[in-house]
Amino acid sequence: MQPPLFTTRRDFLRTTLLGGALGWTVPSFVANTFSALHASADGALTQFATGKDGPILILLQLAGGNDGLNAVVPYTNDFYYNARPTLGVKPTDVLKLNDTLGLNPSLAGFKSLYDAGRLAVVNGVGYPNPNRSHFRSTEIWQTASDEDRYLTDGWIGRYFDNACAGCDPTVGINIGDRLPQSFSSHNPTGISLQNPASYRFMGAGLNDDEETAYRSMYGDAPGGASGSGDSVSMLSGTITLNNGQSALDFLERTSMDAQVSSDKIRDIAGKVKNMVKYPGSGLANNLQLVARLIAGGLPTRVFYVSQGGYDTHTNQRGSQDARLKELGDAVKAFTDDLTAMGEFQRVTMMTFSEFGRRVTENGSRGTDHGAAAPMFIIGGDKVKNGLVGTEPSLDPKDLLDGDIKFGTDFRSVYATLLQDWLKTPSVPILGRQFDTLPLIGTPA
Amino acid sequence: MLAPLPSAQWNDATAAHLLNRAGFGGSPRDIHNLRLMGPDRAVSWLVDYERIPDDTPPPDWTQNISATELTQRDAIYKMADADTRRELQRMRGNQENKQIADLRYWWMRRMSLGPRPFQEKMTLFWHGHFATSFEKVRSPYFLWLQNETLRQNATGNFLTLLISMAEDPAMLDYLDGERSNKGKPNENFAREVMELFTLGEGNYTEQDIQQLARAFTGWGLSKDRLHYEYHLSNHDTGPKTIFGQTGNFTGEEALQLITQQPACAPFLVSKIWRYFVQDQPPAAVVKQLSTEFVAHGLDLGWLMGRIFRSQEFYAPEVVRSQIKSPVQWIISASHQLEAPLPTEAMTLVMLLQLGQELFQPPNVKGWDGGVAWITTNSLLDRYNFAAALVEGQRVPLPALTGQMQGFANSIHNDGLLQTGPAPVAQLFTPDQVAAPDPFLNALQARFLNGSLNPLRLASMREFVQTRVPLQEPDIRKAIRLLMSTPEYQLT
């Protein structure tokens, strides 16, 4: 007997509600049979809110505060070399983008993307009154709040709330073990995944009565048997992480999402193969999995991956350069893979970091927390490659307490991606209208 | 407010709650023994642990550390031949990975089997608070040293603990204290000590950070790099203005200034309350406890006794409301199963997958805890690890690359990723396995210290009723199923 394949939470509920007499007292093998019978009818019942061929956004977090100045190097700028006697990247080493800016030589992967018209650099991105705490600034980027406001739900969480109420839980996938705050929302949506092979309830293997019993424990929504309306409202109701709602409700919700998504993911991740060889880094591994999930036809809209190690207070040239190499090489392989799979044109990737770093190096051959920095946007023909935004001035009189002043608010980048790429209004998500950037458009 | 728990409310449920939060839970017998002590003595037994002897030996490899081992790294870099250097580095890396694995398992066993559960739980709390990571501090010896320092100062005076951490070799490495000098002070420790260890954001200025960084210069390591040493020549002796006060503050004096800030006591009290009691500390309770905490000279043992004796600690909305950390999940499960901890390999893989590698918190804020432990991925992992603990299913080794390959290499001693099925028949009496209700009552009492929701209970009853009298394989399945529920994740 095929295990039941529940495709959306709503679908899952609908199936059990249709068999209204299916309360908790029905023997599990009957419930299983019923579910299996409805598995074939799934296609008719399924309503993917977002569709499996729509645009995909990938958020790639560079955690720790990526030093923008050594990534996108102003190689003709004396202020830069004066401030960084040991850290400055030599003009002869940079990979030139134009006659004033070049990439750190470790970013050969990005240079290759730039030359192929697949990379845009948005320079001088930040926000007013920059905060230099990892945690507070990361929170600001994840929740898209002003620095003096404290929001708990994330901008992608709000996107899910607005654009796809009752969506499949796999509409957002985080590769990692901690749900990023950007996914946090009133109706928690999105799953976290690391190893597809173990992303399921594994029975002891001798026979499947244990797995059957496990499924029957989730065979109905909590409180479901009493009334169909009640169970639907409870699951789609307000479950926030922070407003006194219980941990138990959060656990119930997550458990249900795990149940619904695990069959599907395992199926896809097992069948689909990558088409290029990736380098051997954690980031590359994660992007490899993302590529398979995209090619496998999940209705995912947003993927989130994270690369750590950018908090380079000491010996920066050793550590940041290594991180950038990993980044460039992994993303290049990923774009090549998606291209070979025929999926690249519907994917856009955005890198972000909680802040850049101070212009002047410190006494430990590193840099301390700073403010504005560049963001990288990688995408297909619809993404306008090149340099966007003004190159920030490094003249000490133009700095803010030793840090680079922002020219572009990061929420402009978000607004652009929401409106022009994901085709959803940005104002309900970001709270107000931010000027969009000329990043996405029809190919020339 | 904060009145003692009335003795009429002291029972198995409240005793279990105390053991779960102040320790790592226990079997029904452990809970019963605690209950017999009565609420006041039970708290004393846990918190005033100095009376209980603890002669747990440290890991072998920490005892004969010689200077040459620790300066090996420098020696390697001086090697002219690149191939030899690479080989020596590889060997060194392997040794570090073996030692850190050994250290992690040593501590898990100590938390699980040691005679002072609360001291271990408090040490675990401080480890998350004064977060320091092996990812940067590549010395298992220093991480062990830090662990022992935290253990010794866990319930003493907070300023003493704070100073011990500021002068701790692992911390000096992690937050760059030892690389800060009077010419160019490094701000990392100054910022994090206030933001994360003592005051919280918004209670200091950028100026305070810069001045504090100057006061902290001079802390470093001895020439043999075996212990802390003060280097006056590196210390900026000039006047600093911190929190509006000016003086030639030394690092220790500056730390004292920090603890005297009004924001310090409430910050600590709130964090401790969130860890041991509930997510949203009531403002009035924090205010009251902070005042008393300051009046008691920031005596942590006094504070913990006060909290564990209060009615608020035992409130219905507090009991079984906290999501178990991975450490708590593993250790309390082994107590409930009355079985030994899983093998080193199993334990370390579980901690890695569930997001709590000891000595390797994700960042300097430690572990967020609570709902942060739970994602679809980690929840499925918990359900599957239950099968490993109870039914003898194999724990799959995660896909590893780069630095993580070192982790795989470190699973050396008993690279066993599975043990036999747990002997569980002995946990139930013949009467209990003969009929559904007695069995389900005993099952819930032992594994939940509470009950399943009625619908899930009905599903369990349905599973059990066709199988009574229960044989051991079915008892295991029932336990595994119960461990695969949302309710089981709570403590």
Side-chain angles (χ1 to χ4, degrees), chain B residues 95-158:
Chain B
Q95 182 187 59
E96 280 169 4
N97 288 325
K98 286 186 164 75
Q99 285 174 349
I100 197 72
D102 188 67
L103 184 63
R104 286 169 172 154
Y105 196 52
W106 170 84
W107 194 15
M108 283 297 283
R109 286 203 323 275
R110 191 165 187 167
M111 288 191 272
S112 178
L113 304 167
R116 300 176 176 181
F118 176 65
Q119 185 176 29
E120 293 311 311
K121 188 89 182 255
M122 198 71 191
T123 304
L124 182 63
F125 167 74
W126 290 123
H127 174 47
H129 181 78
F130 290 108
T132 307
S133 174
F134 174 62
E135 189 151 358
K136 179 167 176 183
V137 180
R138 303 297 302 184
S139 168
Y141 172 70
F142 280 168
L143 292 167
W144 167 76
L145 203 58
Q146 186 189 72
N147 186 257
E148 293 285 22
T149 306
L150 288 173
R151 183 173 288 107
Q152 278 154 37
N153 294 300
T155 51
N157 172 278
F158 179 71

Side-chain angles (χ1 to χ4, degrees), chain A residues 133 200 202-203 209 216 255, chain B residues 195 383-384 393 455 459 467:
Chain A
S133 146
R200 65 181 179 96
M202 296 191 270
D209 63 347
S216 88
S255 218
Chain B
E195 182 184 337
Y383 297 173
N384 290 327
Q393 227 180 57
L455 306 172
S459 207
R467 294 170 165 86

Side-chain angles (χ1 to χ4, degrees), chain B residues 213-232:
Chain B
R214 291 176 51 217
F216 293 154
T217 51
W219 287 336
L221 295 180
S222 56
K223 191 149 185 217
D224 59 13
R225 295 183 62 75
L226 278 172
H227 51 258
Y228 164 77
E229 193 176 80
Y230 187 61
H231 303 131
L232 184 54

Side-chain angles (χ1 to χ4, degrees), chain A residues 60 109-110 113 279 283-284 287 326-336 349 351 378:
Chain A
L60 201 170
F110 275 15
L113 288 170
L283 177 63
L287 289 175
E326 254 174 41
L327 173 66
D329 292 350
V331 173
K332 176 73 169 63
F334 178 62
T335 56
D336 288 343
M349 173 187 278
T351 72
I378 294 112

